[in-house]
């Protein structure tokens, strides 16, 4: 796609916080905390250039006390405290500001996405890892920053891993005075200490000063709904309510904190608890990251009435909720991760680790003795993983790779990784950057890539905005970027559905979201009024804020921003969407279904309320694999695409091929002329004439090898022949026989299928002519001599040898037919003993041996003793060597 010069200039973080010479003093909390025990040791260790590893369990006070401990009175220095969650950063800053006798935003502030409160006099800033990632990108030298504290490091966020590595590299180069502190509650610190280096000072302090009694409440075996029906699993909210009722009946229950995997479960649980008789006199509050700050503060603030806080894992770390003495833990978390192989965001519910369970239990013992109810068994707890996998192994790496390249880190494989990224994930990220035109064929940043790295949004959305600039639809691109990054504003409830916001002639679902946003604005985002219209007032407000911020960013970059017009700018919007989401292109299978082919050889299903459901092709900005009764790939928030736009924008990536395809219904190979965009088939025409016979043979052979098709004459005798060849090749390589590999099998079956295009032509094809030609005359003779089908026994008897695919060849012979055969038969010129299955008269093996001599010496007498009485008509001589059996039947 076309490149253009885009001016970019924003005030640096250093310019925002520098310029004050005011001296300040910090007032530490009056409450005694376990972290106070090591305050002097910690301050003494915090020399310029230090690296401190602090392990301090839940309730120690590390998040609120360590930053003031280490913050100098020198007003030119700033302490940054990196938190994994927005809510924690904001609430911790508010708490510490009060403890330091000030308002948040003065001496103590915070910086989270779309919400910043700090100024020139701020000396402690709590910020999320994403904000710090942009901070160090903006100012690689971290000017004016004396200390970087990584809190809750055990969560192993990708941005934190990379930020720590960059801080360590900075210490080793130009900022030898920078202090780095890594704090964790549950992390095994030995490996981390090795990573930080020899000069690391490792400290540890006690944590929770009050005991927490843990109770296990696993689910009982479900009972059938009624006779003949499968049992019904008890919904998690019903189990939570039952345990809450039990807990609330105990003495000194305090406030109750409930952990659930997501907002849906939280809403169902809150509804059930609010309507229960046993919660009269109690307040019930939800708590999750996307809840507005006022509601979050209501949930954690002290109150006169007892309360139940129903939370996701946002309350797992950092925050102390006053009065909580009871925790009810579902043991589950809904974790988003990225499948690099398929390019999908996945959203699955997983069991939490033992470390996370300890963190959650710790919420009950911060201020007094407490209790924790776990909705699983004690034995099940022991079998949970110890720690959660680091985020670098489960999320999209594209933004991280882009920022590292912009920071002149070109050797990504040898970057200072604590845990190196998985190769498939790394390659997926690099491919995506190339598709976004952020990197060139050599992997170097393009002009687009350099600009994208400076924009505070993920690569897809920075590329979308740049494409909006190029196509003249900046406002529409900003709105779509804000919408995709936010929560869907339609609730699916109320008297109005999403379809009511669709208008004919508009080819994108985002137009409906924009019209719904306008409705919400007209209703002043009132939750009840918006809810009646099927709109989430909170999500709409957040979307409006996100859209305004991106518009402000565009204007700050001096980009021309016109009025938003989804009707008039459809082609421009489609071109911009292709620039950012070309790898999420989908093609409808046919007009009668919502099933689609998707880039990456995937299949998906379009949302049935999408306005793009009548389009031949579309971009799906959300491709999510959701685990339920069936795992389904859902395609949502779509924009219709004209296939001719692909030829215009990506002419070098449109390929026309002549090939073959297999018709499952007719079980035959057909000729296929196909037009592809990368690996996605755009158009395919099939016909019976003109089939490439070599390709047809390979395709039929593949289905034979997979077991889908069967060659009637490829029977057990063929398998025995191939096993004999393999034995000779293994035991007697000096003979030079070819052996029989999987590749040989593929080649032989392809040869059998050669010249055919349909299963009916190969079903009864002759096999042995091909196999006989596999060996020359001499090789056939060697095979028969050294790996024969039969082995001779005494008294003119013989036994058929079975050659298994693995293991030793064997014969199965009744003991009476072995009389006279006193030594184990051998093949392969005596190099291979034949395993003998010595059978009773009923043909069942009594003993398997490669040492017949020992059997006759000791085993025969025992066999006779054990079973001769059951078979009196068979010969059981005391001395088999003197017995002369009758001749075998001819």
């Amino acid at each position: 796609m076309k490149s253009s010069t885009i001016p970019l200039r924003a005030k640096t973080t250093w310019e925002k916080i520098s310029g004050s010479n005011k001296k300040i003093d910090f007032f530490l909390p009056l409450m005694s905390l376990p972290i106070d025990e090591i305050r002097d040791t910690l301050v003494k260790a915090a020399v310029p250039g230090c690296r401190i590893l602090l392990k301090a369990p839940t309730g120690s006070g590390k998040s609120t006390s360590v930053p003031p401990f280490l913050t100098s009175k020198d007003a030119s220095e700033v302490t940054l405290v990196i938190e994994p969650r927005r809510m924690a950063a904001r609430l911790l800053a508010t708490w510490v500001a009060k403890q330091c006798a000030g308002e948040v935003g003065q001496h103590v502030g915070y910086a989270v996405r779309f919400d910043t409160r700090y100024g020139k006099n701020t000396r402690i800033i709590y910020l999320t890892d994403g904000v710090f990632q942009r901070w160090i990108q903006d100012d690689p030298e971290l000017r004016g920053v004396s200390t970087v504290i990584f809190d809750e490091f055990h969560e192993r966020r990708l941005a934190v891993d990379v930020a720590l590595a960059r801080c360590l590299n900075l210490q080793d180069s130009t900022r030898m005075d920078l202090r780095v502190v890594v704090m964790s509650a549950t992390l095994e610190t030995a490996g981390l200490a090795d990573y930080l280096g020899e000069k690391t000072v490792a400290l540890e302090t006690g944590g929770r000063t009050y005991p927490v009694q843990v109770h296990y409440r696993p689910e009982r075996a479900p009972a059938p709904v009624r006779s003949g029906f499968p049992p019904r699993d008890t919904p998690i909210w019903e189990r939570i309510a039952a345990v809450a009722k039990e807990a609330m009946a105990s003495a000194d229950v305090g406030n109750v904190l409930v952990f659930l995997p997501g907002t849906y479960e939280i809403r169902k649980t809150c509804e059930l608890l609010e309507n229960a008789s046993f919660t009269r006199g109690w307040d019930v509050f939800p708590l999750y990251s996307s809840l507005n700050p006022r509601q979050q503060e209501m949930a954690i603030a002290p109150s006169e009435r007892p309360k139940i806080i129903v939370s996701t894992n946002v309350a797992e770390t950092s925050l102390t909720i006053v009065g909580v003495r009871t925790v009810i833990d579902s043991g589950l978390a809904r974790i988003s991760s990225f499948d690099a192989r398929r390019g999908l965001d996945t959203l699955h519910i997983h069991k939490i680790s033992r470390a996370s369970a300890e963190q959650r239990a710790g919420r009950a013992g911060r201020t007094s003795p407490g209790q924790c109810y776990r909705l699983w068994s004690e034995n099940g707890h022991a079998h949970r993983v110890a720690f959660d996998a680091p985020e670098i192994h489960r999320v999209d790496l594209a933004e991280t790779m882009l920022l590292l390249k912009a920071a002149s880190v070109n050797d990504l494989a040898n970057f200072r990784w604590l845990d190196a990224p998985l190769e498939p994930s790394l390659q997926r990220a690099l491919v995506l950057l190339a598709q976004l035109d952020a990197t060139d064929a050599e992997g170097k940043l393009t002009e687009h890539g350099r600009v994208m790295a400076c924009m505070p949004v993920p690569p897809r959305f920075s590329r979308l905005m740049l494409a909006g600039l190029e196509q003249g639809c900046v406002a529409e691109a900003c709105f779509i970027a804000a919408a995709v990054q936010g929560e869907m504003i339609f609730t699916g409830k109320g008297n109005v559905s999403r379809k009511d916001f669709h208008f004919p002639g508009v080819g994108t679902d985002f137009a409906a979201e924009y019209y719904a946003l306008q409705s919400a604005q007209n209703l002043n985002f009132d939750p009840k009024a918006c809810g009646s219209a099927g709109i989430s007032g909170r999500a709409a407000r957040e979307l409006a804020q996100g859209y305004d911020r991106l518009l402000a960013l565009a204007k700050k970059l001096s980009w021309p921003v016109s009025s938003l017009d989804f009707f008039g700018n459809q082609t421009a919007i489609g071109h911009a969407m292709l620039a950012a989401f070309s790898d999420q292109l989908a093609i409808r299978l046919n007009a009668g279904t919502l099933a689609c082919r998707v880039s990456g050889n995937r299949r998906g299903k379009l949302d049935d309320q999408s306005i793009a459901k009548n389009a031949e092709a579309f971009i799906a900005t959300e491709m999510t694999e959701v685990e339920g009764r069936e795992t389904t790939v859902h395609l949502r928030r779509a924009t219709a695409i004209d296939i001719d736009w692909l030829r215009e924008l990506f002419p070098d990536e449109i390929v026309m091929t002549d090939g073959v395809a297999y018709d499952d219904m007719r079980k035959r190979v057909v000729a296929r002329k196909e037009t592809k965009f990368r690996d996605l088939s755009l158009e395919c025409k099939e016909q019976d004439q003109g089939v490439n016979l070599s390709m047809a043979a390979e395709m039929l052979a593949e289905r034979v090898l997979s077991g889908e098709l069967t060659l009637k004459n490829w029977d057990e005798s063929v398998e025995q022949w191939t096993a004999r060849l393999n034995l000779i090749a293994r035991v007697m390589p000096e003979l030079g026989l070819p052996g029989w590999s999987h590749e040989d099998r593929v080649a032989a079956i392809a040869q059998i299928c050669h010249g055919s295009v349909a299963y009916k032509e190969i079903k009864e094809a002759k096999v042995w002519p091909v196999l006989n030609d596999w060996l020359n005359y001499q090789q056939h003779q060697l095979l028969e001599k050294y790996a024969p089908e039969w082995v001779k026994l005494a008294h003119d008897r013989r036994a058929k040898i079975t050659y298994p695919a693995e293991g030793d060849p064997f014969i199965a012979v009744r003991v009476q037919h072995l009389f006279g055969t006193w030594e184990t038969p051998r093949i392969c010129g005596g190099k291979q003993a034949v395993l003998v299955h010595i059978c009773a008269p009923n043909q069942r093996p009594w003993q398997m041996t490669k040492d017949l001599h020992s059997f006759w010496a000791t085993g025969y007498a025992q066999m006779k003793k054990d079973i001769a009485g059951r078979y009196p008509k068979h010969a059981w001589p005391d001395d088999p060597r003197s017995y002369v059996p009758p001749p075998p039947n001819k």
Side-chain angles (χ1 to χ4, degrees):
M1 301 190 64
K2 296 180 180 179
S3 297
S4 60
T5 301
I6 299 109
L8 182 71
R9 177 71 176 97
K11 182 178 286 188
T12 66
T13 304
W14 167 244
E15 290 170 336
K16 295 175 185 176
I17 65 173
S18 63
S20 173
N21 295 314
K22 182 179 180 180
K23 298 290 184 180
I24 61 173
D25 288 305
F26 285 101
F27 298 89
L28 299 180
L30 298 176
M31 181 188 300
S32 177
L33 295 168
I35 197 70
D36 296 338
E37 299 173 2
I38 64 166
R39 177 187 175 188
D40 293 340
T41 304
L42 177 63
V43 173
K44 184 177 179 180
V47 297
C50 68
R51 294 177 184 174
I52 298 175
L53 177 57
L54 174 60
K55 184 175 182 179
T58 296
S60 62
K62 64 182 183 300
S63 300
T64 55
S65 296
V66 170
F69 285 170
L70 301 185
T71 300
S72 170
K73 295 180 181 179
D74 183 352
S76 65
E77 296 182 347
V78 175
T79 295
L80 302 182
V81 188
I82 301 173
E83 295 291 337
R85 294 185 176 87
R86 287 179 288 172
M87 188 173 76
R90 188 176 60 252
L91 295 176
L92 284 170
T94 303
W95 170 260
V96 175
K98 291 179 180 177
Q99 296 300 301
C100 295
E103 294 293 328
V104 67
Q106 297 176 351
H107 302 325
V108 182
Y110 65 82
V112 302
R113 188 184 182 207
F114 299 146
D115 187 8
T116 299
R117 294 186 67 180
Y118 66 88
K120 292 182 178 181
N121 294 326
T122 306
R123 292 297 163 256
I124 299 177
I125 303 176
Y126 286 83
L127 67 167
T128 56
D129 45 27
V131 172
F132 180 72
Q133 182 172 251
R134 291 292 172 177
W135 188 312
I136 197 171
Q137 199 74 17
D138 176 46
D139 180 14
E141 294 296 313
L142 294 180
R143 291 172 294 171
V145 175
S146 65
T147 308
V148 181
I149 300 174
F150 295 88
D151 194 16
E152 308 297 354
F153 189 81
H154 63 272
E155 296 203 13
R156 295 301 311 279
R157 302 271 289 226
L158 172 59
V160 173
D161 279 10
V162 173
L164 175 59
R166 294 188 66 178
C167 287
L168 298 181
N169 286 340
L170 188 58
Q171 270 189 326
D172 291 341
S173 54
T174 59
R175 285 295 312 274
M176 292 181 286
D177 62 313
L178 183 68
R179 300 187 297 181
V180 175
V181 180
V182 180
M183 303 194 302
S184 174
T186 60
L187 187 67
E188 289 292 339
T189 56
L192 183 55
D194 292 340
Y195 172 75
L196 293 176
E198 295 180 356
K199 64 180 181 180
T200 302
V201 177
L203 301 176
E204 186 169 352
T205 185
R208 185 173 61 223
T209 55
Y210 298 96
V212 174
Q213 185 177 6
V214 176
H215 311 280
Y216 292 91
R217 297 292 184 267
E219 184 177 15
R220 296 177 180 177
V225 178
R226 62 180 185 269
S227 179
F229 284 78
R232 180 181 73 93
D233 292 333
T234 304
I236 190 67
W237 44 89
E238 292 183 10
R239 295 182 60 201
I240 291 289
V243 173
K245 183 177 182 180
E246 176 191 352
M248 291 164 65
S250 61
D252 201 24
V253 63
N255 291 329
V256 179
L257 176 59
V258 178
F259 284 102
L260 283 165
T263 56
Y264 174 74
E265 292 82 5
I266 287 174
R267 187 173 70 250
K268 297 291 287 187
T269 301
C270 287
E271 290 174 356
L272 188 58
L273 291 175
E274 286 169 345
N275 294 321
S277 59
F278 62 85
T279 60
R280 289 175 184 169
W282 289 66
D283 292 326
V284 179
F285 294 101
L287 183 62
Y288 46 88
S289 59
S290 59
L291 202 62
N292 70 58
R294 185 181 63 84
Q295 290 176 297
Q296 291 175 351
E297 291 169 5
M298 287 176 57
I300 69 171
S303 60
E304 295 182 0
R305 285 161 56 98
K307 60 184 174 181
I308 304 172
I309 305 102
V310 188
S311 174
T312 60
N313 56 5
V314 297
E316 191 174 298
T317 57
S318 301
L319 305 173
T320 296
I321 304 177
V322 177
V324 170
R325 292 196 289 275
T326 299
V327 165
I328 302 175
D329 187 359
S330 68
L332 303 171
R334 184 172 272 109
I335 298 175
S336 178
S337 59
F338 185 77
D339 185 330
R341 181 174 62 85
R342 291 170 293 173
L344 289 176
D345 289 320
T346 61
L347 193 62
H348 291 175
I349 294 177
H350 294 277
K351 295 178 181 178
I352 62 172
S353 65
R354 296 198 301 274
S356 291
E358 290 304 309
Q359 285 281 87
R360 292 181 176 188
R363 303 295 100 182
R366 286 218 161 179
T367 56
S368 63
Q371 56 185 345
C372 174
Y373 292 84
R374 290 175 175 165
L375 271 61
W376 64 95
S377 69
E378 188 170 5
N379 181 60
H381 182 75
H383 286 85
R384 293 191 173 211
V385 297
F387 298 96
D388 295 316
E391 200 175 59
I392 193 171
H393 290 164
R394 54 183 175 84
V395 299
D396 184 14
L397 304 179
E399 183 174 15
T400 297
M401 298 302 109
L402 176 64
L403 295 179
L404 288 176
K405 283 180 176 289
S408 299
V409 179
N410 296 316
D411 188 1
L412 297 174
N414 292 317
F415 179 67
R416 195 173 192 158
W417 300 110
L418 176 53
D419 286 287
L422 301 176
E423 187 62 23
S425 300
L426 179 61
Q427 290 306 314
R428 163 71 193 179
L430 296 177
V431 168
L432 177 59
L433 291 179
Q435 292 174 343
L436 295 175
D437 192 30
T439 57
D440 59 20
E442 297 178 354
K444 297 179 180 178
L445 283 187
T446 62
E447 183 179 350
H448 276 145
R450 286 188 290 272
V451 177
M452 290 162 62
C454 296
M455 298 176 69
V457 289
R460 280 195 191 279
F461 306 110
S462 58
R463 184 68 187 94
L464 176 62
M465 292 176 65
L466 285 175
L469 173 63
E470 295 165 350
Q471 299 294 332
C473 56
V474 172
E476 293 84 349
C478 288
F479 179 81
I480 293 172
V484 175
Q485 294 179 87
E487 185 180 343
M488 173 71 79
I489 67 174
F490 294 111
T491 64
K493 296 182 177 182
N495 301 321
V496 183
S497 72
R498 274 185 290 165
K499 294 180 179 180
D500 294 307
F501 291 94
H502 288 315
F503 290 90
V506 178
T508 178
D509 289 332
F510 293 103
E513 293 194 41
Y514 177 68
Y515 302 138
L517 173 61
Q518 290 182 313
S519 296
Q521 288 173 324
N522 293 335
L523 296 170
N524 294 318
F525 302 107
D526 178 76
K528 185 173 292 186
C530 287
S532 298
I535 302 170
S536 167
R538 174 188 53 78
R541 186 188 298 275
E542 291 177 357
L543 172 55
Q545 293 170 346
Y547 177 42
D548 289 343
R549 290 186 181 100
L550 292 182
L551 281 179
L553 173 62
K555 293 174 181 177
K556 190 175 184 179
L557 298 174
S558 300
W559 293 1
V561 179
S562 303
S563 299
L564 191 147
D565 181 5
F566 280 106
F567 280 95
N569 288 333
Q570 292 191 69
T571 299
I573 293 168
H575 282 57
M577 294 296 286
L578 277 170
F581 294 93
S582 64
D583 61 319
Q584 296 188 187
L585 179 65
I587 305 293
R588 293 270 303 286
L589 292 180
N590 58 64
T593 178
L594 296 174
C596 312
R597 295 190 304 273
V598 188
S599 298
N601 295 313
R602 295 165 288 175
R603 292 293 180 98
K605 184 178 181 181
L606 178 62
D607 176 11
D608 64 357
Q609 292 194 18
S610 173
I611 201 168
K613 66 181 181 180
N614 294 320
E616 179 183 3
F618 60 88
I619 290 290
T621 56
E622 286 191 8
M623 302 174 59
T624 306
E625 185 180 74
V626 178
E627 189 177 52
R629 291 184 179 272
E630 295 181 354
T631 300
T632 306
V633 179
H634 293 298
L635 308 179
R636 299 188 184 92
R637 297 170 121 171
T639 299
I641 295 297
D642 188 328
I643 290 179
D644 287 338
W645 297 346
L646 296 172
R647 297 183 173 91
E648 176 186 346
L649 299 175
F650 306 97
D652 296 336
E653 298 188 73
I654 302 293
V655 179
M656 299 185 68
T657 61
D658 288 332
V660 295
Y662 185 75
D663 187 327
D664 290 296
M665 295 294 293
R666 296 189 295 160
K667 295 185 178 181
R668 67 176 293 122
V669 179
V670 295
R672 178 167 65 180
K673 293 184 180 294
E674 189 172 24
T675 303
K676 282 188 172 184
F677 170 63
R678 298 173 185 159
D679 62 352
L680 179 62
S681 177
L682 302 178
E683 184 180 22
C684 182
K685 295 181 179 179
E686 297 180 354
Q687 55 189 20
D688 291 342
Q689 303 300 317
V691 178
N692 183 304
L693 295 181
S694 295
M695 297 175 70
E698 292 179 5
M699 189 162 285
L700 289 172
E702 287 176 3
R703 280 156 178 77
V704 171
L705 290 165
S706 68
E708 182 181 341
L709 303 179
T710 303
L711 296 179
K712 182 178 179 181
N713 292 319
W714 191 289
D715 55 18
E716 181 60 24
S717 65
V718 175
E719 296 294 344
Q720 285 294 290
W721 184 83
T722 61
R724 291 161 65 198
L725 267 181
N726 273 336
L727 179 69
I728 289 290
R730 184 176 72 250
V731 178
M732 303 182 74
E734 67 274 11
L735 295 180
L737 264 67
W740 187 264
S741 64
H742 175 72
E743 290 73 19
D744 293 327
R745 183 185 181 93
V746 172
I749 292 176
Q751 192 171 342
I752 293 168
C753 296
H754 185 70
S756 302
V757 296
Y759 175 49
K760 65 181 181 180
E761 298 171 14
I762 65 169
K763 183 176 182 180
E764 298 191 17
K766 295 181 179 180
V767 171
W768 281 109
V770 172
L771 299 183
N772 286 334
D773 289 342
W774 206 262
L775 305 177
N776 60 35
Y777 175 79
Q778 184 179 3
Q779 290 173 328
H780 275 294
Q781 295 301 311
L782 292 173
L783 179 64
E784 294 301 325
K785 178 178 180 181
Y786 292 108
E789 293 184 72
W790 300 82
V791 65
K792 291 183 178 180
L793 304 177
H795 307 297
D796 293 329
R797 293 187 181 277
R798 65 177 188 163
K800 187 174 182 61
I801 305 175
T802 298
Y803 293 85
E806 296 181 2
D808 295 318
F810 65 89
I811 58 174
V813 186
R814 285 192 307 188
V815 65
Q816 286 81 8
H817 291 172
L818 285 172
F819 292 156
T821 303
W822 314 121
E823 299 294 335
T824 305
R826 306 186 74 85
I827 57 176
C828 297
K831 293 184 177 182
Q832 175 71 49
V834 176
L835 180 65
V836 181
H837 293 194
I838 303 171
C839 298
N842 63 357
Q843 296 295 345
R844 292 183 180 176
W846 186 83
Q847 181 178 333
M848 292 179 285
T849 183
K850 285 186 179 181
D851 188 357
L852 273 180
H853 181 80
S854 295
F855 168 74
W856 293 122
T858 59
Y860 171 74
Q862 185 63 46
M863 182 180 185
K864 177 182 177 181
K865 178 180 178 182
D866 290 346
I867 66 173
R870 284 182 276 162
Y871 303 99
K873 295 183 179 181
H874 294 263
W876 297 99
D878 292 334
D879 181 6
R881 293 181 181 274
S882 64
Y883 177 74
V884 178
N889 295 326
K890 298 294 186 180

